[in-house]
Amino acid sequence: MRFSLLPAALSIWIAGSSSQFVKAPTDLINATGYAGINVRYKEVPTGICELDPNVKSYSGYADVAENEHIFFWFFEARNQDPTEAPLTVWINGGPGSTSMIGLFEENGPCRVDSNGNPYSNPYSWSNASNMLYIDQPTQVGFSYSIITDGYVATSSDGTKSKISIPDGICPDYAGNTCGSYSVANLSLTANTTANAAPNFWKTLQGFMGAFPQYSRNGFHFSTESYGGHYGPIFNEYIEEQNAKKIPGAHHISLETVLIGNGWYDPLIQYQAYYNFTVWPGNTYDYSPYNKSVQAQLYNNLYGKGNCIDQVQDCYDRGINEICSAADSFCANFVESIYDDYLGRDEYDMREFVPDPFPYSYYQDYLNTPKVQSAIGAFQNISGSSSAVYNAFTATGDDSRESGTIEALRKLVAQGVNVVLFAGDADYNCNWLGNEVVAGKVQAPGFENAGYINITTSDSIVHGQVKQAGHFSFSRIYESGHEVPFYQPLAALELFQRAIGGKDIATGTVKLVGSYLTHGTAKSTYREGNATMQFEVLPGNSTYNTMLNGPDKIQRRMADARGVGILSHAGRKFKPGR
Ligand SMILES: *[C@@H]1O[C@H](CO)[C@@H](O)[C@H](O)[C@H]1NC(C)=O
Ligand SMILES: *[C@@H]1O[C@H](CO)[C@@H](O)[C@H](O)[C@H]1NC(C)=O
Ligand SMILES: *[C@@H]1O[C@H](CO)[C@@H](O)[C@H](O)[C@H]1NC(C)=O
Ligand SMILES: *[C@@H]1O[C@H](CO)[C@@H](O)[C@H](O)[C@H]1NC(C)=O
Ligand SMILES: *[C@@H]1O[C@H](CO)[C@@H](O)[C@H](O)[C@H]1NC(C)=O
Ligand SMILES: *[C@@H]1O[C@H](CO)[C@@H](O)[C@H](O)[C@H]1NC(C)=O
Ligand SMILES: *[C@@H]1O[C@H](CO)[C@@H](O)[C@H](O)[C@H]1NC(C)=O
Ligand SMILES: *[C@@H]1O[C@H](CO)[C@@H](O)[C@H](O)[C@H]1NC(C)=O
Ligand SMILES: *[C@@H]1O[C@H](CO)[C@@H](O)[C@H](O)[C@H]1NC(C)=O
Ligand SMILES: *[C@@H]1O[C@H](CO)[C@@H](O)[C@H](O)[C@H]1NC(C)=O
């Protein structure tokens, strides 16, 4: 890999500029969790995310193995006694994405504004539950292995790598990329979903033992995107560990698994890229390809030796090289046709890239000395760990089904409430693919369930649900990949109903095995193209959840100027999935 260093590479070092690095915390409290897991943590001061002084927040690490330290950030439930509240974990996907995405863009207690100030999120999921955000596997987000001072180099093909700086002084050619980072070490992280599960379990054991007061009233798990892999496998692992009755380990009473816009089954979901853009298409009346591109996409998918054949070969033989090659073929020649021809955001078809939504101002916030010391950070944060992404790529985990659907089936059989949902403007893990996956789970009674409207307290219909007993699939309207950002009220109410063991449609029926929604076989509502944007939005646009798009004032400004000026171009990171 060749790095395109600027000519400035030859120039002098900036003297004494070591302040770009993170000062390791010295104020962490030690505790021993369940299963002998060591935990180090601190109370996060009011104002760093949660603004209410009566609602406590803690961050820290579970030391799950030598040189493997998994970061967590916990928030007490609001408006109730947190020692009586349920506990919910949220993790993002990637693989390699930090869960600070979920915390700050989606369902956490705060967001960060363009001036770098946190403000309260009234639709925080902590309104209904204690919330625990975990960065995993090791090296993702604030989870660290062996830390080095370094900078980020970008190669000619756009790949980013961390280069360590032996003398601890930031060279000027490093620009503003200097920081403290985990050494990219593939043996100090996971490279498949299955082998990430044990350290996730250990982190829960550590947290629950250090904070038993917050872990008393049921455990719920929530995720999205690559969480379609993590969610089923990690939770089935939890059930297996429970069954072993390991001395010193805590029985985790898993009640709910929520997965939004999941990546479960590549064989199904690579086909869904065709369905979403060509036939039967999306519900935004957006049919972007001409006949020749449609034919090209079809051939890249179904032609002999192409995507589907390769993924099938991966399923049949399970060889790393085959799975990895299949994934790369499908990503480049099936999934990416959308990017190549349309320039739209894969995570929200309604917008072009760079998409100013969801806001990413919190990344700079998390990289300030004030916040780093408040949460006890050892390293700078990046949205996505390329080391972890590369580790998973080497095994082709993305193109393996990995037993996700069977694990969901088992969880349903074990009495866990499995709640799948999908924002219907997301292309990446689109709802058509998620809907097929939901059917394959073969939850008892589900084939007889029909779609009915979801009613929420604002009396606006935000989607439909199909549910049988404690298994449901919801389609959420006017929403990209990160549903709690686009539909915060509906997401919070769906979450409350899910963890309360109530029906998703109304939240008024206590679920029993025979519960069944009677409705249409297909969800046929069409948004049409009213919220489709046909120009790039200014980087400082604000999203209006009543308009389901940018605030009008900025739309007019953008109209007046033609294409918006993008101050945040290229700085935005997104989950791989
Ligand atoms: C890393 O953290 C340091 C210390 O707070 C900060 O000065 C630096 O700008 C951060 N680096 C990046 C790339 O954000
Ligand atoms: C926690 O343990 C570490 C390592 O054993 C020690 O250096 C540190 O002082 C301890 N912290 C507290 C608050 O006791
Ligand atoms: C969530 O809790 C906060 C803090 O108590 C409150 O201001 C807000 O209105 C609540 N949100 C909802 C949707 O009830
Ligand atoms: C990676 O981690 C392993 C296990 O701790 C260690 O043996 C090895 O030296 C590390 N490699 C690098 C390049 O740091
Ligand atoms: C795609 O469309 C075909 C034909 O209508 C259908 O058989 C298949 O189940 C669909 N798959 C997905 C993932 O939407
Ligand atoms: C179809 O669309 C592609 C991509 O925009 C373009 O390159 C090609 O010329 C078009 N083909 C026809 C026949 O219009
Ligand atoms: C994945 O990780 C396992 C366990 O650490 C290791 O044995 C295996 O060699 C790794 N596979 C690849 C392709 O790196
Ligand atoms: C469901 O909601 C739609 C609006 O999305 C509405 O037109 C329809 O009448 C509702 N159906 C029922 C049965 O209430
Ligand atoms: C939006 O859809 C309407 C029909 O509902 C159509 O007339 C119009 O051309 C579409 N607009 C764009 C920009 O595609
Ligand atoms: C957005 O940025 C433009 C120019 O970059 C500026 O004129 C406008 O006032 C900004 N809007 C807001 C809401 O900050």
Side-chain angles (χ1 to χ4, degrees):
M1 187 179 306
R2 289 175 48 226
F3 295 99
S4 54
L5 292 181
L6 303 168
L10 302 169
S11 68
I12 51 153
W13 308 70
I14 299 170
S17 53
S18 57
S19 61
Q20 288 93 336
F21 306 113
V22 180
K23 237 171 125 236
T26 52
D27 56 350
L28 299 181
I29 298 159
N30 301 313
T32 305
Y34 298 127
I37 302 296
N38 187 61
V39 171
R40 293 165 296 138
Y41 69 92
K42 61 178 294 182
E43 186 172 342
V44 179
T46 301
I48 305 287
C49 199
E50 178 56 72
L51 304 173
D52 182 343
N54 298 317
V55 180
K56 288 199 171 72
S57 164
Y58 296 91
S59 61
Y61 304 87
D63 300 324
V64 294
E66 198 185 352
N67 294 321
E68 293 206 56
H69 314 287
I70 303 276
F71 177 76
F72 63 81
W73 192 344
F74 170 81
F75 298 90
E76 284 186 350
R78 293 166 163 175
N79 314 321
Q80 58 182 300
D81 177 355
T83 67
E84 296 297 329
L87 175 67
T88 302
V89 158
W90 169 272
I91 59 170
N92 279 90
S97 296
T98 171
S99 298
M100 300 303 105
I101 294 170
L103 203 176
F104 286 94
E105 296 185 9
E106 305 186 60
N107 56 31
C110 73
R111 304 252 164 97
V112 173
D113 69 19
S114 57
N115 299 317
N117 297 315
Y119 59 97
S120 182
N121 172 17
Y123 301 104
S124 173
W125 287 9
S126 62
N127 277 42
S129 176
N130 290 322
M131 290 298 298
L132 179 63
Y133 296 84
I134 293 175
D135 271 339
Q136 66 79 48
T138 316
Q139 300 176 43
V140 168
F142 289 115
S143 293
Y144 66 97
S145 52
I146 299 165
I147 290 177
T148 182
D149 293 339
Y151 67 95
V152 180
T154 306
S155 71
S156 45
D157 69 355
T159 329
K160 293 188 188 309
S161 312
K162 311 260 163 64
I163 310 292
S164 67
I165 305 168
D167 58 3
I169 295 177
C170 184
D172 63 354
Y173 58 76
N176 58 5
T177 70
C178 277
S180 305
Y181 303 106
S182 287
V183 180
N185 185 333
L186 299 194
S187 63
L188 291 175
T189 186
N191 61 11
T192 63
T193 300
N195 71 23
N199 283 345
F200 177 73
W201 178 83
K202 285 184 185 174
T203 305
L204 295 182
Q205 293 292 328
F207 177 85
M208 290 177 168
F211 297 95
Q213 70 274 30
Y214 298 133
S215 319
R216 300 202 310 206
N217 204 359
F219 175 75
H220 310 275
F221 175 95
S222 58
T223 186
E224 74 189 5
S225 202
Y226 211 75
H229 271 52
Y230 292 151
I233 302 303
F234 288 9
N235 287 293
E236 193 45 36
Y237 182 83
I238 288 173
E239 295 288 49
E240 285 164 19
Q241 292 293 93
N242 282 344
K244 288 182 195 159
K245 302 192 191 323
I246 299 163
H250 185 65
H251 181 278
I252 299 174
S253 60
L254 174 65
E255 294 179 7
T256 314
V257 172
L258 289 112
I259 307 174
N261 292 80
W263 182 253
Y264 309 90
D265 185 333
L267 202 56
I268 292 170
Q269 294 182 263
Y270 277 120
Q271 297 182 65
Y273 291 133
Y274 181 87
N275 291 29
F276 193 74
T277 51
V278 182
W279 182 259
N282 55 72
T283 50
Y284 294 85
D285 295 347
Y286 184 60
S287 179
Y289 304 138
N290 62 28
K291 288 276 175 263
S292 64
V293 173
Q294 290 178 6
Q296 181 194 0
L297 176 56
Y298 191 88
N299 179 61
N300 292 355
L301 196 50
Y302 296 108
K304 195 168 160 44
N306 292 348
C307 173
I308 294 307
D309 280 357
Q310 293 190 29
V311 173
Q312 188 61 57
D313 195 19
C314 162
Y315 280 27
D316 293 344
R317 292 198 282 164
I319 296 167
N320 287 346
E321 290 72 19
I322 289 172
C323 294
S324 188
D327 202 51
S328 149
F329 183 95
C330 297
N332 292 331
F333 299 111
V334 175
E335 181 179 351
S336 295
I337 289 211
Y338 173 99
D339 308 78
D340 299 343
Y341 290 127
L342 309 179
R344 286 189 174 271
D345 185 352
E346 281 203 24
Y347 304 94
D348 182 355
M349 187 187 64
R350 300 168 304 169
E351 325 287 353
F352 284 104
V353 283
D355 182 350
F357 314 129
Y359 317 118
S360 49
Y361 305 113
Y362 68 94
Q363 295 163 37
D364 288 345
Y365 177 72
L366 291 175
N367 274 321
T368 58
K370 179 185 172 189
V371 177
Q372 287 163 343
S373 79
I375 63 174
F378 283 83
Q379 68 180 6
N380 287 82
I381 191 161
S382 16
S384 170
S385 162
S386 45
V388 170
Y389 184 84
N390 293 339
F392 276 68
T393 300
T395 64
D397 199 69
D398 186 86
S399 71
R400 296 171 189 264
E401 189 259 355
S402 300
T404 54
I405 292 176
E406 192 191 342
L408 289 176
R409 192 176 303 133
K410 282 189 187 159
L411 289 167
V412 173
Q414 284 153 338
V416 175
N417 187 16
V418 173
V419 178
L420 311 184
F421 59 98
D424 71 4
D426 177 30
Y427 163 84
N428 187 289
C429 299
N430 68 57
W431 78 280
L432 295 175
N434 275 233
E435 181 185 44
V436 173
V437 167
K440 298 261 182 200
V441 173
Q442 293 171 334
F446 191 66
E447 78 270 24
N448 300 319
Y451 283 103
I452 60 173
N453 288 349
I454 299 172
T455 58
T456 42
S457 62
D458 60 354
S459 305
I460 297 170
V461 178
H462 294 289
Q464 291 199 311
V465 63
K466 205 159 75 150
Q467 178 158 15
H470 43 259
F471 181 79
S472 61
F473 172 72
S474 300
R475 167 192 168 197
I476 307 297
Y477 305 154
E478 297 282 9
S479 175
H481 193 74
E482 297 174 43
V483 174
F485 174 82
Y486 299 100
Q487 295 297 351
L489 181 142
L492 174 59
E493 293 186 9
L494 179 143
F495 172 67
Q496 280 171 312
R497 293 169 190 183
I499 66 172
K502 303 282 176 56
D503 69 313
I504 298 298
T506 68
T508 59
V509 181
K510 183 85 194 149
L511 286 180
V512 289
S514 59
Y515 174 85
L516 191 69
T517 53
H518 298 281
T520 53
K522 288 279 166 195
S523 177
T524 56
Y525 173 75
R526 302 186 71 80
E527 287 89 347
N529 63 18
T531 56
M532 290 291 294
Q533 303 299 314
F534 292 96
E535 60 199 1
V536 180
L537 296 170
N540 62 358
S541 301
T542 50
Y543 193 82
N544 186 318
T545 54
M546 299 308 289
L547 299 175
N548 293 310
D551 274 308
K552 282 232 167 63
I553 181 152
Q554 277 139 351
R555 189 148 36 167
R556 274 206 304 276
M557 261 159 27
D559 287 347
R561 274 193 279 116
V563 169
I565 307 299
L566 298 151
S567 52
H568 293 280
R571 288 201 16 242
K572 188 171 172 56
F573 64 78
K574 279 288 204 169
R577 294 196 204 280

